[in-house]
Structures are given as structure tokens and as C-alpha cells.
Amino acid sequence: MEILHVSAECYPVAKAGGLGDVVGALPKYQNKAGHIAKVVMPMYRTKFLYNNNWSVDYKGSAYLGNYHFEFTIIKETTNKLGFDLYLVDINGLLDREKIYGYDDDTDRFVAFQIAVVSWLSSWQHQPDIVHCHDHHAGLIPFMLKHCLAFKHLQHIVTIFTIHNAQYQGWMGWDKSVLLPEWDSWKSGQLDWNNTINPLASAVKCAWKVTTVSQSYMNELKHNSNGLEALFEYEKGKCIGILNGIDTEVWDTATDAMIQHHYKPATVTAGKQKNKNILCEQFGLNKEVPLIVFIGRLVGEKAADILPDSITVSLNNLKHQVSFLLLGSGEPHVEWQLGDMNGKYPGYYHIEIGYNETLSHQMYAGADFLLMPSRVEPCGLNQMYAMRYGTVPMVRSTGGLQDTVMDMGETDGFGIRFNNASVSDIHYSVSRALSVYKDDKHMQKMRQHMMQIDHSWEKTVNDYTTLYESVKRQ
Ligand code: ADP
């Protein structure tokens, strides 16, 4: 099958979170399974753009409301990522340094989607599947079905994957002029609560909808930032497919970003060496368990309760545990966590910012990874942690619940808790501390986790089955 993935992110071209990881890996493994999978995404001004070679695949023009814009589709020439990668260059709109965060993001991503569909309509043939990811590609199922200029594309199967339903791409109806003309009877397919809602529109218009874990799929019917009724209504076309992880990128035996390589048999010594380097770098005590947090400092990740939780644990378990954090996000959380730097010398440090290399070193050097997330559609960090022999401490929600088994259960290997609260986190830190003292138990859990299969092969099969089920309809 020929599958075209449409996404705002794709690792290593541009990544802000899990979406990038998934779109950077799934197509590669689909190709290995015999499909022809391609990715199209915006052309941002990233390192990857300047360090690779490109050829022009297509030049076109389109309207964004009254604004006539020209776009170019460029293609990476060496198949470096294991799939054909296309970037959409729209001068002045997409070619910026950051992926998101501009006042005109609505215009940017609407223009991106119009360019993708216009390009698609120039193809000599049609792909079997257009697979759209998150709200930045959420208007494409509507455009293919209902926009007059693209009527000839209406039989292309669209699949929509929700990596995060908190962000929906809302825009007022005044922005409707940006869209190519559509069958006005179909306006309801764009609307949710009197706004244009690209995520809701995709749920209505795509042939099938997936989320990145089964538990998250179930949760969306009760908690999806206003779309609960829609998910209940559309449940017949929605399924959960758990993400895999790229085991070629995330491999402790070969990872070029970590200083000491190790395997399950050598995990204890290998980890300690990586931990020593981290601790020296950030002035932390090497002898106590190192608990890390890596991620966006936002409410979904419960980052707002980290300052109090960590303070309580550091005060109650004086000189027995240390914390190392990496992340960026809401300014007041950054400020609070940043302000704690230097207050617990040897036992606490935060690096504010995004640092891919450091994140790998932290997965390799840490003893535990804390994820108290309020919402976690799949969560990749806990899977990377497990693959690196780091014990996950997670709240029982979404994909965390589907991938981590508490160490109290037979063959369990992690720590689970129910509430995103200071007391639950502190209790989990105490549990971490006591298991850390039991060398045998730690070694057993580490080795077990490192050998769990999180590879993409199963996920690819699940997507293939889904694609085939739609094509048979
Ligand atoms: P989300 O997509 O909600 O942010 P996921 O768990 O699905 O969360 O994916 C997060 C990904 O982003 C992981 O690869 C994680 O290592 C990475 N990541 C998050 N924040 C940072 C950071 N500050 N520096 C480096 N990597 C980060």
C-alpha cells in the first residue's frame, strides 16, 4: 500500500514531542514491512534542512482566502530516514525556526494543508491512504471530502491519528474564508461549539480515527477538552493502537549520544558509569538514587506540582535521593523549578530547555524516571526509560497504564500511583528509595524491562489491518 503521512513534526527534521518521534519511525517500519510510506511536513528552518540535499519535486500556487501564495515541495534525495521525505516551503509562512508558537499559526497550518492537498491533486495516481496526524493536518479529511476543487480526490481513504486531543486548533468562523470553497451543506463537518475545530472535523470526516493507546481512547469519551460527546458518538470508527519506539535510535548498545554503552547483562555497571558522568556534570551525589523528569513543563504533565513534590521529598528524605530535570514550558513553572537550583546542592538540578543529547544521557544514567502526567495519550518517555533499564514511576493513566506494571504485581517492573498529587509522588519516591536498596530486585527489574518488546513491528501490523479494513468497505 502507498501511505502518505501528513504531520507538523517528524524526527529528526523537527520535533517538539512524541508526535515527531512517531512520524519519524512509523513510516520507516512500514517500508520495512513492504509498504510505500512517505512523509510530507512543513519546511522549517532547522539544522536538518541545511545539512541535507534536496531536489524540487513540485511547484504550485494556491489561495489562502484572498492571499495568493506560491509553494514548493522539496524532496530529500538520499532516503536518509528510510522513507521519502517531502517538505512544503511557503515563503514567509512556514520557513521559521520554531515549529509552533507564532501568532499566525492558524494561517500557517491552513496554508500547509491547502498546499499538501493541491500537490496531491497534481499526482498522476492516488495514494491508498492519506494518514493525518493531530490537528495541524486535521482539515485534510474535510478538504478531500467536501472542497469543490478536490472532488476528484474524495475516494482517497483518510486516517486520522490523535497524539494529543488537548490541542484542537480552534479558529473562529471568520477564518473560514481561508479554506478552499466547500459544499456549504457540509459546514457542520467543520464545526464544534460554533468554532471551526480541526481536530473535531477530522474525527467527523476521516474514515477511521486512532489514538495512541487503548486506555486513552477510552478516556477521551469522558475527558477530551470538550469533545467527549463526539468521541462517544463516533466510537464505532475509533480504535487505540499503542505506539512503538524506534529501537534502532534507542539502543543502549549503540546510542551515539551516551558515553558508555551497555546491554541487559551489563546494565548495573553501565548505568552507574553513565550516572557518574551526569552527576559530575550537574554536581549531584552519585551514591543516592537519581530520579529524573524529562518533558514539557505543562499542566498535562503535572509539572506544576513538581516544585512542591520535590521539595517535600528532598526535605523528608534528606540526602537520600536526588532529582535531575530537563524541560521547558509554562514560564511560572520554569521559574519555580529554576529558582530551586542551588538550594539543594548535590541533590537537585534542572536544565531548562530542549536538549535531545542530554535526554538520552538521562535515560541512560538515571535510576528512575518520574511521569506524574494528568493526561498521557501514549507516552514515549516511559518506554525509552524501560529500554534503558530505568524504572518508570508513573501515574496510572492513558498509555502509562497500558505499558507499566507496578512492581508489586508478579513480574512487575515499575511504580504506579493514582493521583497527580504531592502525597502520591512522595509516597512513590519512598518506594523508589526502598527498592533501590535491594540490588537484586533492581537488577532483575532493569534486565526485565530492557528486554520488553516495544518495537514498531506489532504497531505496523495493527495499522495495516486497519488500512485494509477500510479499503474493503
Ligand atoms: P509529548 O509528546 O506529550 O510531549 P511524549 O512522551 O509522547 O510526550 O514524547 C516526549 C518526547 O519528547 C520524548 O522523546 C522525550 O524524550 C522528548 N522530550 C520532551 N522534552 C524534552 C526536552 N526538554 N529535551 C529533550 N527531549 C525532550
Side-chain angles (χ1 to χ4, degrees):
M1 267 186 273
E2 184 173 359
I3 306 138
L4 178 68
H5 291 275
V6 189
S7 171
E9 297 179 33
C10 172
Y11 178 80
V13 192
K15 163 178 161 183
L19 168 65
D21 284 335
V22 172
V23 178
L26 172 61
K28 176 166 88 178
Y29 288 94
Q30 287 180 320
N31 282 339
K32 287 189 183 183
H35 299 298
I36 303 167
K38 306 170 173 184
V39 171
V40 59
M41 64 181 295
M43 191 201 86
Y44 312 108
R45 295 204 171 280
T46 64
K47 250 197 205 157
F48 190 92
L49 174 70
Y50 298 112
N51 294 344
N52 289 281
N53 297 315
W54 306 89
S55 63
V56 172
D57 185 81
Y58 180 74
K59 273 180 177 292
S61 65
Y63 280 94
L64 181 69
N66 289 329
Y67 174 60
H68 184 245
F69 69 92
E70 304 204 328
F71 64 91
T72 308
I73 309 275
I74 57 173
K75 182 181 175 198
E76 194 273 322
T77 52
T78 63
N79 199 266
K80 186 168 187 177
L81 304 184
F83 50 82
D84 285 342
L85 170 70
Y86 299 88
L87 306 185
V88 180
D89 179 16
I90 306 178
N91 203 321
L93 269 183
L94 296 179
D95 53 343
R96 315 241 177 109
E97 274 170 25
K98 286 191 299 173
I99 305 174
Y100 317 112
Y102 299 100
D103 289 344
D104 59 350
D105 276 356
T106 298
D107 297 38
R108 296 173 71 226
F109 288 106
V110 172
F112 163 64
Q113 294 174 84
I114 293 173
V116 169
V117 177
S118 307
W119 171 56
L120 202 52
S121 90
S122 77
W123 288 24
Q124 304 290 324
H125 68 289
Q126 295 188 344
D128 296 288
I129 306 283
V130 172
H131 192 148
C132 304
H133 297 267
D134 273 354
H135 73 81
H136 318 97
L139 293 170
I140 287 182
F142 175 85
M143 288 188 202
L144 290 180
K145 257 189 176 164
H146 303 305
C147 284
L148 306 179
F150 306 121
K151 276 263 180 249
H152 57 294
L153 303 177
Q154 66 184 349
H155 299 296
I156 298 180
V157 173
T158 51
I159 303 290
F160 183 62
T161 294
I162 299 170
H163 299 258
N164 193 334
Q166 294 301 109
Y167 307 100
Q168 300 171 2
W170 312 266
M171 58 184 98
W173 269 99
D174 56 322
K175 289 278 183 191
S176 65
V177 292
L178 300 181
L179 299 178
E181 193 185 352
W182 72 87
D183 176 353
S184 58
W185 285 91
K186 303 295 179 190
S187 298
Q189 302 280 301
L190 287 170
D191 185 81
W192 192 258
N193 278 342
N194 299 322
T195 44
I196 296 182
N197 183 320
L199 191 105
S201 171
V203 173
K204 293 178 187 185
C205 297
W207 298 40
K208 290 277 178 188
V209 175
T210 76
T211 60
V212 288
S213 72
Q214 188 54 49
S215 289
Y216 186 56
M217 184 87 261
N218 301 338
E219 285 170 19
L220 288 177
K221 285 177 244 156
H222 311 289
N223 178 15
S224 51
N225 213 357
L227 300 185
E228 296 76 11
L230 179 65
F231 284 109
E232 179 59 36
Y233 183 75
E234 297 284 9
K235 63 183 173 202
K237 66 152 115 152
C238 297
I239 74 161
I241 299 180
L242 195 68
N243 287 332
I245 60 172
D246 193 332
T247 46
E248 288 173 5
V249 173
W250 297 92
D251 184 349
T252 53
T254 56
D255 186 339
M257 297 188 217
I258 66 175
Q259 287 95 334
H260 294 282
H261 292 146
Y262 57 96
K263 293 187 168 171
T266 54
V267 56
T268 306
K271 255 194 172 302
Q272 187 64 48
K273 286 187 202 159
N274 285 296
K275 177 174 171 181
N276 291 348
I277 295 177
L278 266 185
C279 290
E280 272 159 28
Q281 189 177 350
F282 297 109
L284 298 171
N285 185 338
K286 298 171 194 167
E287 309 303 326
V288 300
L290 174 63
I291 302 177
V292 300
F293 172 95
I294 300 166
R296 293 179 294 118
L297 301 175
V298 297
E300 270 175 71
K301 305 284 180 194
D304 49 300
I305 56 168
L306 288 177
D308 282 351
S309 306
I310 293 173
T311 304
V312 166
S313 291
L314 285 173
N315 288 338
N316 280 287
L317 303 168
K318 246 195 177 91
H319 303 159
Q320 297 183 72
V321 284
S322 62
F323 290 88
L324 177 60
L325 282 60
L326 167 65
S328 59
E330 284 162 14
H332 70 281
V333 181
E334 281 188 7
W335 183 85
Q336 270 183 297
L337 290 167
D339 193 48
M340 288 166 63
N341 269 347
K343 291 198 174 144
Y344 302 90
Y347 297 93
Y348 173 85
H349 184 80
I350 181 165
E351 281 288 295
I352 304 278
Y354 189 93
N355 186 333
E356 189 74 26
T357 303
L358 179 58
S359 76
H360 283 240
Q361 292 165 350
M362 288 168 70
Y363 290 116
D367 299 299
F368 298 91
L369 173 100
L370 177 62
M371 288 182 83
S373 310
R374 294 194 176 91
V375 181
E376 197 59 79
C378 174
L380 295 170
N381 300 25
Q382 82 281 12
M383 292 200 261
Y384 298 146
M386 290 184 235
R387 179 129 171 101
Y388 279 47
T390 304
V391 179
M393 301 163 64
V394 305
R395 187 170 98 79
S396 297
T397 186
L400 298 177
Q401 179 167 310
D402 292 358
T403 52
V404 176
M405 235 166 107
D406 190 84
M407 62 187 184
E409 294 174 45
T410 320
D411 288 334
F413 47 80
I415 295 176
R416 273 175 49 169
F417 50 96
N418 289 329
N419 302 302
S421 67
V422 172
S423 58
D424 272 29
I425 292 178
H426 178 55
Y427 180 60
S428 302
V429 172
S430 316
R431 289 184 75 199
L433 180 57
S434 53
V435 70
Y436 181 78
K437 291 176 182 156
D438 183 345
D439 291 343
K440 267 197 179 154
H441 194 167
M442 280 300 279
Q443 163 121 344
K444 194 173 145 219
M445 283 202 294
R446 286 170 167 165
Q447 292 183 335
H448 177 72
M449 290 186 299
M450 287 183 78
Q451 292 172 72
I452 296 174
D453 182 8
H454 293 292
S455 63
W456 273 100
E457 280 78 11
K458 184 184 174 310
T459 309
V460 165
N461 282 341
D462 290 348
Y463 277 116
T464 305
T465 307
L466 177 77
Y467 298 156
E468 281 169 351
S469 74
V470 191
K471 284 194 68 75
R472 273 198 304 272
Q473 276 176 8

